[in-house]
Amino acid sequence: MGTWIMKKIGQSKILNLVISLLLTLLLFAYVISTKSATSSSNGGNNITNIVPEKKAVLKVPLSLQYDNDEYVAVGAPASVQVTIEGSGALISAARSRNDIQASADLRGLKPGKHTVTVALRGVNASLTSTVEPQKVTVTIAKKATTTLPVTVDYDKNKIASGYTVSNATSDPKRVTIIGPQTNVDSVASVIARPTLQSGIKDFIAQNTQLIALDKEGNEVEVAFNHKTVNVELTVAPEDSKKLSLKANIKNGDANQYQVSFDPKTITAYGASDTLNSLNDISLNIDLNDIKDQNGTIKIDLPKIDGIVRYDTSTVTANITKNSTSDASKESSSSSSNNTESSSKSSSSTSDSSSSSK
């Protein structure tokens, strides 16, 4: 029965056409919907890639506009934070070109404390920008100046043990401070404090910012005619001393050998307390290192706590073995001296006896 029905359907041309048409319409609808979704997705990505929204925070120097020939302005921050939002391309350009400027206009204001608005320039019109802080408080005062020497103040704990700073200088050696009269009058010293790592052993040269201090050591707000000075520290061993060399013979009889050193003395550099406790340096000489009875060997100078270096790293030891004849002569001489001493002793005893009688 089922076979008969299938045969009838297969023989119906109209029914086959209807089925084919339905399948074609379904396939067409599927293709159209797929293309639409792909196009929509690609289109969205293209828009995002063309105009990506980004945000950046820039640190911008703050300039103050006023009559700096007659007045000074203190209290304002050196820089402000500017936040910009917009297309990534414009933000990248703003970062690389560094065109954004921040300023506060103090012109026309009388001496005293004032709160003024920070203005921005150089921001692209297509970008949104904000500044923090939006207002700054500034004190305007009559201008006063004076010139003071620069004192280099460094952390002595950063210098390696056994070393000391033999010279500390700044260039320039003197600077001009600028500020309100009361501030300038209260400055007792101008300090340059270099930033040092621990264990300094070598020469240091560093650009260092200046600090003005009053007599209590508090920082005073003033300006300088030089933003930084070049600080130089000459670091060298703390002290030096000439020391003699002493042989410590191993694997042999020390009495059978004579040792001389070249050089005979060395100069040691280091901490004063260590050097004061030393008069000589003992050098180990292993006779197993000498192939013949006489020999020459190189010896490294020992590492000693408190000594940072020597004027030479090695010395030469000349080892000579005492000859047998020399030893015999010394023995004969010693025997003769003993006999003579015994004879003198007997004679002295005899004289004493005679005197007693």
Side-chain angles (χ1 to χ4, degrees), residues 240-246 263-269 274-282 301 304 307 309-311 315:
S240 64
K241 185 178 181 180
K242 279 193 174 183
L243 300 173
S244 59
L245 302 175
K246 182 173 66 174
K264 296 180 179 179
T265 62
I266 54 93
T267 301
Y269 299 86
T274 300
L275 296 177
N276 290 337
S277 66
L278 297 174
N279 291 316
D280 53 50
I281 292 181
S282 180
L301 293 175
I304 300 176
I307 294 181
R309 68 178 179 88
Y310 301 96
D311 60 345
V315 296

Side-chain angles (χ1 to χ4, degrees), residues 185-232:
D185 290 343
S186 65
V187 174
S189 59
V190 175
I191 304 298
R193 288 177 176 159
T195 302
L196 303 178
Q197 297 179 347
S198 296
I200 297 295
K201 297 180 179 180
D202 301 313
F203 176 83
I204 297 294
Q206 185 181 115
N207 282 326
T208 307
Q209 291 186 338
L210 296 172
I211 306 170
L213 301 178
D214 61 17
K215 60 182 180 180
E216 282 81 26
N218 301 314
E219 189 170 345
V220 181
E221 188 172 12
V222 292
F224 301 93
N225 64 331
H226 292 274
K227 291 183 179 180
T228 61
V229 295
N230 184 47
V231 170
E232 294 184 352

Side-chain angles (χ1 to χ4, degrees), residues 146-159:
T146 190
T147 301
L148 292 175
V150 177
T151 301
V152 179
D153 182 21
Y154 60 92
D155 187 353
K156 294 180 176 60
N157 294 324
K158 300 294 185 180
I159 308 302

Side-chain angles (χ1 to χ4, degrees), residues 237-258:
E238 183 178 354
D239 201 356
S240 64
K241 185 178 181 180
K242 279 193 174 183
L243 300 173
S244 59
L245 302 175
K246 182 173 66 174
N248 180 27
I249 293 180
K250 293 186 175 182
N251 297 317
D253 187 356
N255 294 326
Q256 296 181 5
Y257 291 87
Q258 293 182 356

Side-chain angles (χ1 to χ4, degrees), residues 68-72 142-148 175-185 222-225:
N68 53 17
D69 290 333
E70 188 174 356
Y71 298 98
V72 291
K142 282 285 188 178
K143 186 176 185 179
T145 64
T146 190
T147 301
L148 292 175
V175 294
T176 299
I177 59 175
I178 308 159
Q181 188 69 58
T182 54
N183 290 27
V184 171
D185 290 343
V222 292
F224 301 93
N225 64 331

